[in-house]
Amino acid sequence: MSEQKIGKILIIDDNEDLLKAAKIFLKRHFAQVDTETNPDLLPILTHNEQYDVIMLDMNFTKDVSSGQEGFYWLDRILELDPSAVVVLITAYGDVNLAVRAIKEGATDFVLKPWENERLLATLNSALKLRQKKLEVDLLKDQKLTMQEDIDRKFADIIGQSPAMQKVYETIERVASTDANVLILGENGTGKELIARAIHRHSRRNKEAFVGVDLGSITQSLFESELFGHKKGSFTDAKEDRAGRFEQAHKGTLFLDEIGNLPLPLQAKLLAVLQNRQVTRVGANRAVDVNIRLISATNMPIHNMVYENGFRQDLLYRINTIEIQLPPLRERADDILLLANHFISFYSKKYNKDVRKASEPLIKRMMKYHWPGNIRELQHSIERAVIMSNHNVLQPEDLFLQKMQQPEQKDESVSLEHLNIEDVERILIRKALQKHNGHITRAAEELGLTRSSLYRRLEKYGL
């Protein structure tokens, strides 16, 4: 079985006989060999195809000896693609020009007339250099996205409650697979930390973890941000840029707030996930991508499918495994653990001698509902550490928002005016009050699943 040919070569020379001879020889060794006599077509050719090596004549008929036209086109090629690998074609007497061109960005040169084996060796070396350049460019893009991960404040998940133990068990089971994971949970519950934990325990942990907040991306920039763009494809496209899918190649792509994605963009995302290919804005060539996908949302995404707000086929793609993150109010055992962690961290950060929370403050934190979850606890502790003049935090140091309760009507169920939705709302509120906001216990008492109860809470604004 013959070895598969690789490499795309473009040859630009005004000598048609030379082009024919070169193509006949080189197409036996490379996947694609294109030729052109008119250098003015270079921008179009390089836009439509990504060549691995470009062979460029130093002198065309306009200017047969100075090489200035060759220098001009060398500059244009490198302007269009700074990673381009250019091998110059030159006559024996033009060696000094070729040396100058190498200093200005060319990779190598071949002398006319050439020996076929020498030409082949030069192009193979140039092809290897091109592959290295592309790898370096991709690594640079990945490094930018990984930089924030190097000094991340809270790299580990904090929690020992039974609810979190179930989450840990799921992470251990799914991390080593490439299964797509959907993380569901309220704002501030730590969905990104869970996604990072899955990545760290996966076989892709040596590669990039690339996070994207889909809720913050405008529709006009969606394709550029996720799929990348070519230089000049729109007004602000100053250079070629890899999108988040390419940056996450061989690693993990985390799509946060996926429930906020409008339906037209859901279709575009689905196509990429199905084909495992992306096409940069302004490009004609698709690029293969190999990613592990983790998504997250605080929206009732299953209910959105029933209401035609989210594509069912896209949901099937992203939720091979679902992880439901419990809110902080269902993790009472973890509140003090988290509070102590944040006290220690912010005491060091702000050079304060705050050591712990007082017993009255602990009781107050345990009774509080924490609508903003861990994020609210974190910000409350940070503010308290900054403002406190003591080394033990007191209840007055912790600012907690007072939940405005709507005027309570008589919530006894009257058989004279029986409205199903009113009755359901009252029963749900009573179950939550009885179980101090514990979703799982309230759902069990009502005979509902957790997801069904979440949908009703969203429906009634509870």
Side-chain angles (χ1 to χ4, degrees):
M1 185 175 178
S2 60
E3 189 174 325
Q4 186 177 8
K5 293 182 287 188
I6 62 171
K8 298 177 182 179
I9 313 296
L10 172 63
I11 312 173
I12 308 290
D13 197 297
D14 58 352
N15 186 328
E16 291 188 356
D17 291 336
L18 179 146
L19 293 179
K20 288 178 183 177
K23 186 167 186 174
I24 291 171
F25 171 66
L26 293 176
K27 70 180 182 181
R28 301 203 305 264
H29 302 280
F30 297 99
Q32 180 177 329
V33 180
D34 294 338
T35 60
E36 180 54 59
T37 58
N38 183 5
D40 291 330
L41 296 179
L42 259 170
I44 297 173
L45 292 169
T46 55
H47 176 78
N48 292 336
E49 187 63 78
Q50 191 170 16
Y51 291 100
D52 295 303
V53 182
I54 300 174
M55 292 183 65
L56 174 68
D57 191 17
M58 285 292 294
N59 293 301
F60 293 85
T61 51
K62 287 183 187 176
D63 183 4
V64 296
S65 61
S66 72
Q68 289 308 308
E69 202 171 6
F71 284 116
Y72 169 80
W73 285 113
L74 173 63
D75 288 340
R76 287 287 287 127
I77 291 169
L78 295 176
E79 180 184 343
L80 293 168
D81 181 7
S83 298
V85 171
V86 182
V87 174
L88 297 173
I89 306 169
T90 185
Y92 180 76
D94 296 333
V95 172
N96 288 336
L97 288 176
V99 172
R100 176 188 156 196
I102 288 175
K103 291 179 180 178
E104 295 191 15
T107 298
D108 207 342
F109 65 91
V110 292
L111 295 173
K112 294 189 288 187
W114 55 64
E115 296 176 5
N116 282 346
E117 294 306 313
R118 180 81 175 267
L119 172 64
L120 183 59
T122 299
L123 292 182
N124 278 327
S125 296
L127 179 59
K128 289 178 182 177
L129 178 62
R130 169 66 169 177
Q131 291 169 340
K132 292 294 183 184
K133 281 191 171 188
L134 292 176
E135 289 174 7
V136 169
D137 287 346
L138 184 58
L139 286 172
K140 284 180 180 178
D141 285 331
Q142 290 178 340
K143 182 181 178 182
L144 290 174
T145 60
M146 293 173 73
Q147 195 64 41
E148 294 178 1
D149 203 30
I150 294 173
D151 193 25
R152 185 156 292 273
K153 296 171 186 171
F154 312 122
D156 298 319
I157 307 164
I158 297 170
Q160 299 175 351
S161 62
M164 289 307 297
Q165 293 299 328
K166 291 181 180 179
V167 173
Y168 300 150
E169 289 173 9
T170 305
I171 292 174
E172 288 179 4
R173 291 177 185 176
V174 306
S176 61
T177 74
D178 260 354
N180 292 339
V181 178
L182 176 62
I183 304 170
L184 302 175
E186 298 176 10
N187 281 334
T189 50
K191 295 185 286 294
E192 183 175 346
L193 283 177
I194 298 299
R196 290 182 179 276
I198 294 171
H199 174 71
R200 283 198 303 273
H201 289 82
S202 75
R203 290 174 296 192
R204 297 173 180 260
N205 58 10
K206 302 298 182 185
E207 306 295 338
F209 175 95
V210 179
V212 188
D213 181 2
L214 295 179
S216 66
I217 299 176
T218 62
Q219 291 196 40
S220 60
L221 292 178
F222 174 81
E223 288 184 83
S224 170
E225 186 70 23
L226 265 69
F227 310 146
H229 60 251
K230 296 284 286 181
K231 180 180 178 180
S233 55
F234 54 89
T235 303
D236 292 327
K238 306 297 184 186
E239 58 186 5
D240 287 0
R241 182 177 180 275
R244 297 306 180 96
F245 270 87
E246 283 187 74
Q247 292 173 20
H249 182 59
K250 296 184 179 179
T252 300
L253 180 64
F254 175 54
L255 299 182
D256 199 7
E257 304 296 351
I258 197 168
N260 293 341
L261 204 59
L263 282 168
L265 301 185
Q266 291 178 28
K268 293 179 179 179
L269 177 59
L270 177 63
V272 170
L273 296 177
Q274 287 175 333
N275 300 326
R276 294 284 169 170
Q277 289 185 325
V278 296
T279 302
R280 294 185 183 186
V281 177
N284 298 324
R285 187 179 65 88
V287 177
D288 293 334
V289 287
N290 172 13
I291 56 115
R292 200 266 180 85
L293 181 69
I294 303 177
S295 308
T297 183
N298 65 340
M299 306 283 281
I301 199 165
H302 292 281
N303 198 38
M304 291 171 66
V305 171
Y306 299 138
E307 296 173 355
N308 297 318
F310 198 88
R311 293 179 64 112
Q312 189 170 57
D313 47 3
L314 178 56
L315 181 59
Y316 288 151
R317 281 277 170 186
I318 66 175
N319 78 332
T320 306
I321 301 293
E322 274 189 13
I323 297 177
Q324 179 76 53
L325 273 189
L328 186 56
R329 59 184 172 273
E330 294 184 20
R331 297 173 53 188
D333 296 346
D334 295 332
I335 291 175
L336 182 56
L337 200 65
L338 287 160
N340 286 336
H341 168 76
F342 293 133
I343 290 171
S344 175
F345 177 83
Y346 288 115
S347 293
K348 292 176 183 176
K349 179 176 179 179
Y350 296 114
N351 196 27
K352 302 275 286 190
D353 187 27
V354 179
R355 300 172 188 175
K356 63 178 183 178
S358 66
E359 284 300 321
L361 176 56
I362 292 172
K363 290 180 181 178
R364 186 182 179 201
M365 289 192 296
M366 299 297 284
K367 289 180 179 179
Y368 185 61
H369 195 58
W370 297 112
N373 294 293
I374 300 171
R375 189 177 297 132
E376 182 182 2
L377 174 61
Q378 176 186 346
H379 291 165
S380 298
I381 295 292
E382 181 180 17
R383 186 187 303 112
V385 168
I386 293 171
M387 299 302 295
S388 177
N389 292 319
H390 312 284
N391 54 20
V392 178
L393 292 183
Q394 302 298 328
E396 58 269 21
D397 293 323
L398 201 68
F399 175 79
L400 299 177
Q401 58 177 317
K402 293 183 179 179
M403 302 299 294
Q404 291 291 331
Q405 297 291 342
E407 287 187 19
Q408 298 293 322
K409 299 178 181 178
D410 180 11
E411 291 193 341
S412 59
V413 180
S414 169
L415 295 178
E416 294 179 6
H417 303 286
L418 198 58
N419 178 286
I420 291 177
E421 290 192 349
D422 288 343
V423 171
E424 188 171 54
R425 183 187 294 106
I426 291 168
L427 291 175
I428 290 172
R429 184 177 287 128
K430 284 183 174 294
L432 289 171
Q433 289 172 349
K434 177 179 178 181
H435 296 288
N436 296 316
H438 196 291
I439 296 294
T440 301
R441 292 173 189 164
E444 288 174 355
E445 175 138 339
L446 292 166
L448 299 171
T449 63
R450 282 170 55 95
S451 58
S452 296
L453 180 53
Y454 274 119
R455 287 198 295 272
R456 285 166 173 79
L457 292 174
E458 187 81 20
K459 176 181 178 181
Y460 298 127
L462 297 174

